[in-house]
Amino acid sequence: MQRTHKHNQSTQTHVIRIASYNVHSCLGLDGSTNLVRIAGIINNLDADIVALQEVASQLGVSNDTRQLNALAAETGLQAIAGPALIRPDSPCGTALLHRLPVLGSRHIDLSQPGREPRGALDVDLDLQGLTVRIVSTHLGLRAYERRVQCQQLLSVLAEGKANALTILTGDMNEWWPWSRILHEVNSCFDSTEPSAPATFPARFPVLALDRLWLKSQIARISDLRAKKTATTAVASDHLPLIADIVITHQATSTAHKLVN
């Protein structure tokens, strides 16, 4: 859903869509592991960038391995694999599906002693000459490890390019609205974002576990919502989170482009 409009000879406005989705290894609440169902949901999101969490790289079934590759094939999007969360049943981790050129990617190790391995995927994408930096993560289950992980992420993000459009998103596993963790992250990002919608549990969402923050002098979030349908309510234990971002900047070209 990338759209670009020329207002005059020097200004352009882009609208891009970012999504974050914990796919729960494509295991639905109906007990069915259905990769095609998840791929259909991703296609219907019509997003330029989809941050994924809990993508299984091997399910132990000969005909159903490497979910990320299969999701990329089903959606026609490019894939970048992130750090894995090792589980007893299968390696599971973060990933990115996208339709923009890649400028660079990095893995951030957020693992804490005695806890499950955790990490973040840090990717620079090119939007017609603009750098879009997106960091996708899945934080730990304990509050103390999330505090350390957020401090690590904010430290890494502070080292980025000053003129980059920066997005932090993912399953933060933080549900208390007045938490110190969310306050610290909010203070480092733009404060004009809409309230985070509830995404968990998928059938009757009451907790805003999945989050998205934006930092940019030329962009704003015009809409932030959870995608609840009859299908998304059972396909995973989380609902997809969608953000439409409006970017206004000085054009480097006088061309008019519209991409659906």
Side-chain angles (χ1 to χ4, degrees):
M1 188 207 143
Q2 179 192 337
R3 300 178 184 273
T4 304
H5 301 282
K6 185 182 78 170
H7 294 283
N8 52 49
Q9 291 187 346
S10 61
T11 305
Q12 286 186 349
T13 297
H14 303 275
V15 180
I16 63 171
R17 179 169 293 169
I18 314 295
S20 181
Y21 193 14
N22 184 327
V23 298
H24 197 229
S25 300
C26 298
L27 175 61
L29 300 180
D30 56 0
S32 172
T33 299
N34 192 331
L35 185 144
V36 173
R37 178 169 60 184
I38 291 292
I41 291 171
I42 293 172
N43 281 328
N44 288 333
L45 297 178
D46 192 24
D48 302 290
I49 305 170
V50 184
L52 300 175
Q53 302 88 43
E54 294 196 22
V55 183
S57 58
Q58 186 171 359
L59 293 179
V61 180
S62 60
N63 294 327
D64 193 7
T65 60
R66 305 212 176 274
Q67 287 187 349
L68 181 58
N69 292 346
L71 287 172
E74 290 284 340
T75 61
L77 298 172
Q78 300 178 62
I80 302 175
L85 160 63
I86 307 301
R87 291 183 165 180
D89 55 343
S90 65
C92 211
T94 57
L96 209 68
L97 294 174
H98 64 94
R99 60 174 99 246
L100 301 177
V102 179
L103 299 174
S105 64
R106 300 156 294 276
H107 289 178
I108 304 170
D109 185 7
L110 301 176
S111 301
Q112 299 301 308
R115 302 298 301 161
E116 292 176 315
R118 297 280 174 169
L121 182 57
D122 183 2
V123 180
D124 293 329
L125 300 169
D126 176 60
L127 176 63
Q128 299 184 26
L130 294 174
T131 299
V132 177
R133 183 186 186 188
I134 181 164
V135 176
S136 169
T137 191
H138 186 184
L139 299 187
L141 297 176
R142 298 290 180 88
Y144 78 87
E145 62 177 320
R146 291 196 299 272
R147 284 195 294 270
V148 176
Q149 288 163 348
C150 278
Q151 290 170 359
Q152 288 180 262
L153 285 173
L154 293 178
S155 177
V156 171
L157 287 166
E159 300 170 355
K161 297 179 181 178
N163 60 344
L165 188 161
T166 302
I167 297 162
L168 172 62
T169 191
D171 180 354
M172 306 301 286
N173 267 323
E174 188 70 26
W175 53 88
W176 186 245
W178 301 278
S179 77
R180 177 182 173 185
I181 295 170
L182 293 179
H183 175 75
E184 289 179 356
V185 179
N186 287 336
S187 67
C188 294
F189 285 83
D190 296 341
S191 59
T192 57
E193 301 166 9
S195 299
T199 55
F200 181 89
R203 287 190 191 274
F204 304 103
V206 293
L207 302 178
L209 297 188
D210 303 277
R211 300 272 178 157
L212 187 143
W213 291 270
L214 169 68
K215 185 174 184 179
S216 173
Q217 296 180 347
I218 61 171
R220 61 182 177 85
I221 298 176
S222 65
D223 190 23
L224 182 66
R225 63 195 183 279
K227 179 75 169 182
K228 186 175 183 182
T229 67
T231 303
T232 62
V234 299
S236 171
D237 58 347
H238 287 243
L239 296 176
L241 180 70
I242 307 171
D244 289 334
I245 297 176
V246 178
I247 308 164
T248 303
H249 73 109
Q250 297 299 306
T252 58
S253 165
T254 58
H256 173 86
K257 184 177 181 182
L258 178 63
V259 181
N260 287 316

